[in-house]
Amino acid sequence: MSLDHFDLALLDAVQRDAGISQLDLGEKVNLSSAAVNRRLKKMAAEGVIQGTVARINADALGYTLTVITEVEVETERLDLLDDMKRAFLACPQVQQCYYVAGECDFVLIMLVQNMEQYTNITRELFFENNNVKKFKTLVSMSNVKTGTCIPILD
Amino acid sequence: MSLDHFDLALLDAVQRDAGISQLDLGEKVNLSSAAVNRRLKKMAAEGVIQGTVARINADALGYTLTVITEVEVETERLDLLDDMKRAFLACPQVQQCYYVAGECDFVLIMLVQNMEQYTNITRELFFENNNVKKFKTLVSMSNVKTGTCIPILD
DNA sequence: TCTGAAAATGGACCTTT
DNA sequence: AAAGGTCCATTTTCAGA
């Protein structure tokens, strides 16, 4: 799918604020609201726009601790890796999980309410998994930047 | 602010899909659409709901490479750290940035179009900054899990 | 691009606890 | 008072001309 500069401007706007009306969007990018409607609809149908979500204040729900965990595996057997991926996916405290090349094999970003909760999760995910050789924990003192905005207008 | 089980159910629904109508939300949690409207409005005003954003398919825009960078600083002087945080915040390819305790000082999640772009950014952010002692790059082979869903209903 | 119908939002007002 | 429900006006979405 080809995206022109109107599409890019629309994407940039809605990835920052999906609440803005199509009328206001049209004003911002110089397009009628009907054109905005068509383009957004098309991009959603094509999967360029994957959906809209509300951003919730984690602190307000008691999730005040962000932890980054680097996991090193014992063997890279595919079925074992898949099992681990599944376990990470299923754990709601795991916000993000990357399978990486380098010294470690997985990097996890976790959001927990306190250290005790993190400890419990490490037991479940790492200590009770025979394929985890070791893991290293980095505690975030400050979440300098979070979000999922993609660079669009450069 | 105190959140009852209605609020929690609403938060859980809208953090997965903010497009759902207040009528459907009300059906899901057993509340009238007016009550849903009031509660959502209040939670937005109190900052529990920080906003709604569209999720964009990064691949569709050519951003196919996710890189995790661990940065070690020379000195922890506050003004120098603040300068670095500002630089990371201002770089659109930096999706997330955590200031951490441990072996390294910053962990960055970056989204780039290719290795060349990453190389250019490392020059700008790391090589040309005297306070960066060293940095380590981890390349993601698979983004197993991404998103920002907070665990609400457990 | 314009127009209009259908849907969604959000306020007013009344009732319940 | 605080919160829910119903009704209604306004706004928004979205398809057809």
Side-chain angles (χ1 to χ4, degrees):
Chain A
M1 167 166 193
S2 73
L3 302 166
D4 63 16
H5 75 100
F6 285 120
D7 291 318
L8 296 179
L10 289 174
L11 290 175
D12 192 53
V14 296
Q15 79 168 343
R16 290 166 205 286
D17 177 11
I20 184 172
S21 79
Q22 296 174 356
L23 200 79
D24 289 346
L25 274 175
E27 222 160 88
K28 186 173 282 193
V29 304
N30 285 313
L31 225 49
S32 71
S33 75
V36 170
N37 184 278
R38 268 192 299 272
R39 285 165 179 267
L40 289 180
K41 203 174 173 62
K42 181 161 181 226
M43 289 193 284
E46 308 257 356
V48 179
I49 296 176
Q50 295 172 318
T52 64
V53 301
R55 298 256 290 155
I56 310 292
N57 183 344
D59 280 337
L61 294 174
Y63 285 87
T64 53
L65 185 58
T66 301
V67 182
I68 300 165
T69 314
E70 299 177 6
V71 182
E72 200 176 317
V73 305
E74 202 71 60
T75 80
E76 308 242 6
R77 255 178 55 198
L78 273 183
D79 58 333
L80 294 179
L81 287 179
D82 279 346
D83 285 345
M84 292 179 72
K85 289 182 185 181
R86 251 192 299 279
F88 296 149
L89 268 172
C91 176
Q93 280 78 20
V94 174
Q95 299 269 111
Q96 286 151 52
C97 171
Y98 302 95
Y99 178 54
V100 299
E103 290 169 37
C104 65
D105 298 292
F106 287 100
V107 175
L108 307 179
I109 313 277
M110 291 205 238
L111 186 59
V112 291
Q113 296 183 307
N114 47 51
M115 256 308 160
E116 192 195 344
Q117 189 177 44
Y118 178 67
T119 307
N120 290 334
I121 292 174
T122 60
R123 182 171 315 126
E124 197 182 310
L125 289 182
F126 309 135
F127 287 114
E128 291 177 4
N129 186 316
N130 292 326
N131 200 36
V132 172
K133 184 191 270 181
K134 64 178 183 180
F135 67 95
K136 187 166 79 177
T137 298
L138 304 171
V139 175
S140 171
M141 294 184 287
S142 159
N143 297 358
V144 179
K145 185 175 188 175
T146 60
T148 55
C149 269
I150 293 167
I152 294 184
L153 305 173
D154 291 295
Chain B
M1 169 170 190
S2 73
L3 302 167
D4 63 16
H5 75 99
F6 285 120
D7 291 318
L8 295 179
L10 289 174
L11 289 176
D12 192 53
V14 296
Q15 80 168 342
R16 290 168 206 285
D17 177 11
I20 183 173
S21 77
Q22 296 173 356
L23 201 79
D24 289 346
L25 274 175
E27 223 160 87
K28 185 172 283 191
V29 305
N30 285 315
L31 226 47
S32 71
S33 74
V36 170
N37 184 282
R38 274 192 291 267
R39 283 166 179 268
L40 289 180
K41 201 175 173 62
K42 182 165 181 218
M43 289 193 284
E46 308 256 356
V48 178
I49 296 176
Q50 295 171 319
T52 65
V53 300
R55 299 256 292 157
I56 310 291
N57 183 343
D59 280 337
L61 293 174
Y63 285 88
T64 53
L65 184 58
T66 301
V67 182
I68 299 165
T69 313
E70 299 177 7
V71 183
E72 200 176 318
V73 304
E74 202 71 60
T75 78
E76 308 242 8
R77 255 177 55 199
L78 273 184
D79 58 334
L80 295 179
L81 287 180
D82 279 344
D83 285 344
M84 292 179 72
K85 289 183 183 178
R86 251 192 299 279
F88 296 150
L89 269 172
C91 176
Q93 280 77 20
V94 174
Q95 299 270 112
Q96 287 151 52
C97 171
Y98 303 95
Y99 177 53
V100 301
E103 288 169 38
C104 65
D105 299 291
F106 287 100
V107 175
L108 307 179
I109 313 276
M110 291 204 241
L111 186 59
V112 291
Q113 296 182 307
N114 47 52
M115 256 308 160
E116 193 195 343
Q117 190 177 44
Y118 179 66
T119 308
N120 290 335
I121 291 174
T122 59
R123 183 172 316 126
E124 197 183 311
L125 288 182
F126 309 137
F127 287 115
E128 292 177 3
N129 186 316
N130 292 325
N131 200 36
V132 172
K133 184 189 268 181
K134 64 178 183 180
F135 66 95
K136 188 165 79 177
T137 298
L138 304 170
V139 175
S140 171
M141 293 184 287
S142 160
N143 297 357
V144 178
K145 184 175 190 175
T146 59
T148 55
C149 269
I150 293 166
I152 293 184
L153 306 172
D154 293 294

